[in-house]
Amino acid sequence: TTTLDNLAEIHLRLADIAARGGTSASSEDEHLERALELSRRSESLNPFNREVHVRLVTLLRRLGHLDEAEGSRERLRQLSDLN
């Protein structure tokens, strides 16, 4: 079964490959944006999934959305406090 998380990870890896492979920056950005979209959808379905929040922090930082990344980092801290 393919999940939103699987698809997000695939796009994140494709962005990494694009960044290293010398392809256009737009290709990297497209994969990062798609991974972000999928991760946000996954978060809306399961807001308690820590892995999604870790991925969101990573993606948001790479895309330069630092305020949003900090918000996701704070939600991750709150989830950690629940345990």
Side-chain angles (χ1 to χ4, degrees):
T1 304
T2 303
T3 66
L4 292 171
D5 295 321
N6 296 138
L7 293 172
E9 282 296 322
I10 289 168
H11 280 284
L12 186 55
R13 304 239 188 264
L14 288 170
D16 291 340
I17 291 167
R20 287 192 312 263
T23 60
S24 70
S26 65
S27 177
E28 177 186 1
D29 287 345
E30 288 172 12
H31 286 297
L32 289 173
E33 290 289 347
R34 185 69 175 131
L36 179 59
E37 176 188 335
L38 291 163
S39 294
R40 284 180 170 157
R41 286 176 56 196
S42 181
E43 178 195 20
S44 71
L45 295 172
N46 184 2
F48 300 104
N49 184 332
R50 287 186 196 144
E51 292 174 13
V52 171
H53 290 285
V54 169
R55 188 179 319 107
L56 281 169
V57 170
T58 300
L59 288 164
L60 289 165
R61 290 181 83 194
R62 280 183 71 176
L63 288 165
H65 305 287
L66 301 181
D67 289 340
E68 287 182 76
E70 189 53 40
S72 286
R73 184 183 297 269
E74 181 56 33
R75 285 188 292 282
L76 186 57
R77 281 188 208 109
Q78 291 171 351
L79 286 174
S80 295
D81 290 345
L82 291 176
N83 289 332

